[in-house]
Amino acid sequence: MSFVNMRRKLLLGNWKMNKLVSEAKEFAIASRPLAEKAKANNIDLGVSPTYLSLAAVKENASKDMIVAAQNVHFNDHGAFTGEISIPMLLELGITWCLIGHSERRAYDNETDEKCNLKIKALIANKMIPVYCVGETLDEFEAGKTKEVVSRQVKVGLKDLTKEDVKDLVVAYEPVWSIGTGKNASTEIAEDVCGYIRSVLKEMFGEMSEEIRILYGGSVKPENIKAYLSCPDIDGALVGGASLKQDSYEGLLTNIL
Ligand code: PEP
């Protein structure tokens, strides 16, 4: 293959339901030099705080730090108690959003169809979705990984054009490896990420080469480099190891 991969590496921390606003703000300030170091090395660096901390992180982090929401509603406004809309994110300058994280799929009835509505709404507003896919332990053990991720990608990204998906990010996160300390081997991760790219190719042709695919699931400073050395893995979505400043720094330092 003569193709040279021009995709920028992306390291994104998912803070889930962690950190008070004050803690998130402190982290944002302390991470300013890291964001500059990442930029100087052509790496995109970001975090995904809770809704409550988005404004504080956006205001206090380096302008080079990506700040992503963890979810959004697909309607702009209305009677949706407890939800947050795209215009509300945009008002804070938030242009990235995770969609379909497995915890939302498991606890909040986030279906592929609902993810599709959210992704289309984000793209219509020129925002960048990070679409999370991945199989459960039962599905993995039944040998259904590719069937599952193929369905998630095809339904989640249906009705989109090549142009629509050029900035989109897909995160492959096997559910059995999230927060469990049980990593997918680099062979499994690369095999599935390569397969996801082949599904994207069927849907969007050569644009599939521009789409960044992340691996997520118990990524730590000690193992991140091995994942990012795989040809179809363009970065990492990291939960636990992104919460403490020193390990977040270690994740970046180990891929420079
Ligand atoms: C995640 O929440 O997306 C994740 C990958 O978590 P962890 O790194 O803790 O497994």
Side-chain angles (χ1 to χ4, degrees), residues 12-16 98 101-103 132 171-175 177-183 215-220 236-243:
L12 198 54
N14 172 18
W15 289 349
K16 313 189 188 198
L98 305 186
H101 191 279
S102 65
E103 287 148 16
C132 304
Y172 168 56
E173 300 205 303
V175 180
S177 74
I178 297 182
T180 58
K182 283 191 212 146
N183 304 75
Y215 168 74
S218 299
V219 173
K220 297 186 179 54
L237 181 57
V238 186
S242 72
L243 287 171

Side-chain angles (χ1 to χ4, degrees), residues 47-61:
V47 287
S48 186
T50 65
Y51 282 144
L52 280 179
S53 294
L54 283 173
V57 174
K58 187 71 189 165
E59 278 163 21
N60 289 284

Side-chain angles (χ1 to χ4, degrees), residues 106-143:
Y107 310 134
D108 295 283
N109 194 28
E110 190 95 317
T111 60
D112 296 333
E113 287 74 14
K114 214 191 261 182
C115 291
N116 179 246
L117 292 173
K118 293 179 180 196
I119 290 169
K120 286 195 288 196
L122 287 168
I123 289 174
N125 283 280
K126 305 206 175 334
M127 291 178 68
I128 302 181
V130 178
Y131 180 40
C132 304
V133 299
E135 80 286 6
T136 63
L137 182 59
D138 284 351
E139 290 163 342
F140 174 72
E141 287 176 346

Side-chain angles (χ1 to χ4, degrees), residues 9-196:
K9 286 183 196 163
L10 169 60
L11 171 58
L12 198 54
N14 172 18
W15 289 349
K16 313 189 188 198
M17 197 175 71
N18 291 295
K19 292 192 189 296
L20 302 177
V21 178
S22 53
E23 294 166 335
K25 177 178 170 183
E26 201 181 307
F27 192 105
I29 293 169
S31 300
R32 284 179 195 161
L34 270 193
E36 271 134 48
K37 200 191 245 186
K39 189 180 181 203
N41 286 279
N42 280 324
I43 296 174
D44 288 337
L45 181 72
V47 287
S48 186
T50 65
Y51 282 144
L52 280 179
S53 294
L54 283 173
V57 174
K58 187 71 189 165
E59 278 163 21
N60 289 284
S62 155
K63 66 172 177 27
D64 297 315
M65 178 77 111
I66 292 166
V67 183
Q70 296 177 13
N71 180 38
V72 76
H73 199 276
F74 49 84
N75 279 301
D76 278 358
H77 54 82
F80 302 102
T81 303
E83 297 286 348
I84 297 286
S85 73
I86 287 174
M88 294 170 190
L89 294 179
L90 287 174
E91 188 184 29
L92 303 183
I94 305 297
T95 55
W96 288 63
C97 186
L98 305 186
I99 295 293
H101 191 279
S102 65
E103 287 148 16
R104 297 203 53 81
R105 290 179 186 264
Y107 310 134
D108 295 283
N109 194 28
E110 190 95 317
T111 60
D112 296 333
E113 287 74 14
K114 214 191 261 182
C115 291
N116 179 246
L117 292 173
K118 293 179 180 196
I119 290 169
K120 286 195 288 196
L122 287 168
I123 289 174
N125 283 280
K126 305 206 175 334
M127 291 178 68
I128 302 181
V130 178
Y131 180 40
C132 304
V133 299
E135 80 286 6
T136 63
L137 182 59
D138 284 351
E139 290 163 342
F140 174 72
E141 287 176 346
K144 292 191 170 154
T145 299
K146 291 184 178 172
E147 189 187 313
V148 170
V149 296
S150 163
R151 187 206 68 228
Q152 290 171 327
V153 170
K154 286 182 177 159
V155 178
L157 304 183
K158 76 171 183 267
D159 304 327
L160 295 173
T161 65
K162 291 179 192 178
E163 192 55 27
D164 286 337
V165 296
K166 75 177 176 358
D167 294 323
L168 174 100
V169 176
V170 177
Y172 168 56
E173 300 205 303
V175 180
W176 47 272
S177 74
I178 297 182
T180 58
K182 283 191 212 146
N183 304 75
S185 65
T186 49
E187 290 74 20
I188 293 177
E190 169 60 15
D191 183 44
V192 181
C193 290
Y195 175 72
I196 290 172

